[in-house]
Amino acid sequence: ISKQPLSDALMGNPRSFLMKPEEIDSWLGAHDAYKAGGGSSDRGDWLITFDGGPHQVGRVGRGFVLVPNWGVSTMTATTINRLQALAKKLQPDGLFARFLTMLAQIDRAPDASIPEQEIAKGRMLYTQLVTALFAMDVRACIIVNLSSEAREVYEDWWAKLRGKVAAMETVSEGLAAHLGKGANHLARLALTDHAVETGFKGDEGFTVQVATMRRAIKLLEALWGHSGVVYMGLMGQGAGFELARE
């Protein structure tokens, strides 16, 4: 999808939407990632979708339009073989680094120890939460703050991460770029956890607590274990990548 149809879609969807291309390599190829000389002019616009917010877009024959929320969530997948074939074509512009990566386990049978009624209850609660969040007025200016304790934990974690990013640049430029997005990724995970926990209601509905921040840090660092395997695999290193292939 190019920026012109994307701008049309976002103009009519200020909440944005979720894109689910089947393969990340085909998604990148859709905006000229594979063409000689680098990516298309749309790549810069796609990079900005990571941040969201107002964005002015120039469209052929139609002038410029201001899109209220130029942000898109993208969930995609690939195979180990395709990812290695993609490695040499990835540009160092941070597009791939914006993705949180996860290595999926081999298909296995559902956990039969969980009662069906508990699964049904979980689905019902999830549906109620998503419905309530969707009902919120997207035109309202909603500000979510960190509690003093959550902010302290966040800033301490980020200060330590900056040193790790600097050290990683000599090992893997791609992984360093990915870790460098850590502050943004952590804030998003914490906000998502907070939305699930509070639904933005009650006295604490707009203040992220320290327990939420610590859960988000734990999740992000667990995902980094997956990222390490992926990025080392892109360099042709790491036994974990070979295990993932199998």
Side-chain angles (χ1 to χ4, degrees):
I1 180 171
S2 66
K3 67 181 179 183
Q4 294 196 51
L6 179 61
S7 64
D8 290 336
L10 289 174
M11 286 293 288
N13 292 276
R15 296 175 184 274
S16 187
F17 50 82
L18 173 67
M19 285 189 57
K20 297 193 294 182
E22 292 185 3
E23 297 276 356
I24 192 171
D25 47 331
S26 62
W27 179 79
L28 290 172
H31 47 88
D32 300 334
Y34 294 162
K35 289 188 176 180
S40 71
S41 59
D42 291 350
R43 285 184 70 90
D45 292 289
W46 273 105
L47 288 166
I48 298 171
T49 62
F50 182 74
D51 299 311
H55 179 56
Q56 184 172 265
V57 180
R59 302 189 291 188
V60 177
R62 300 170 64 182
F64 288 88
V65 295
L66 182 63
V67 179
N69 181 24
W70 186 260
V72 178
S73 296
T74 306
M75 181 172 67
T76 184
T78 190
T79 64
I80 297 301
N81 288 335
R82 284 180 176 272
L83 194 58
Q84 283 194 319
L86 182 65
K88 295 180 180 179
K89 302 171 184 178
L90 291 176
Q91 298 182 48
D93 58 6
L95 182 58
F96 186 69
R98 285 162 165 75
F99 284 88
L100 287 170
T101 57
M102 178 180 293
L103 297 173
Q105 293 184 339
I106 297 175
D107 290 342
R108 57 184 182 183
D111 187 350
S113 67
I114 304 176
E116 283 293 330
Q117 58 267 31
E118 289 299 317
I119 296 176
K121 180 182 177 181
R123 287 173 175 164
M124 180 187 68
L125 292 174
Y126 174 78
T127 300
Q128 290 175 348
L129 172 65
V130 171
T131 301
L133 291 175
F134 188 79
M136 296 181 67
D137 186 355
V138 296
R139 296 168 298 177
C141 181
I142 299 175
I143 299 176
V144 179
N145 298 301
L146 302 180
S147 69
S148 58
E149 295 86 356
R151 182 175 297 278
E152 182 178 352
V153 168
Y154 175 86
E155 291 178 349
D156 179 65
W157 177 87
W158 177 228
K160 294 176 181 177
L161 177 62
R162 285 196 292 267
K164 295 179 182 179
V165 172
M168 186 56 63
E169 289 176 347
T170 61
V171 179
S172 168
E173 183 180 352
L175 183 54
H178 177 67
L179 295 179
K181 302 294 181 186
N184 285 316
H185 285 148
L186 178 57
R188 292 157 198 251
L189 290 175
L191 183 61
T192 302
D193 187 309
H194 177 75
V196 170
E197 186 175 35
T198 69
F200 298 116
K201 296 179 180 179
D203 295 339
E204 296 184 350
F206 298 97
T207 303
V208 176
Q209 302 299 318
V210 66
T212 302
M213 183 60 66
R214 286 178 173 148
R215 284 196 301 269
I217 290 173
K218 184 177 181 179
L219 174 57
L220 180 57
E221 291 182 346
L223 291 173
W224 280 349
H226 295 247
S227 300
V229 173
V230 170
Y231 281 93
M232 290 300 101
L234 291 175
M235 297 170 59
Q237 302 175 8
F241 204 73
E242 294 305 318
L243 290 174
R245 182 196 300 277
E246 298 172 4

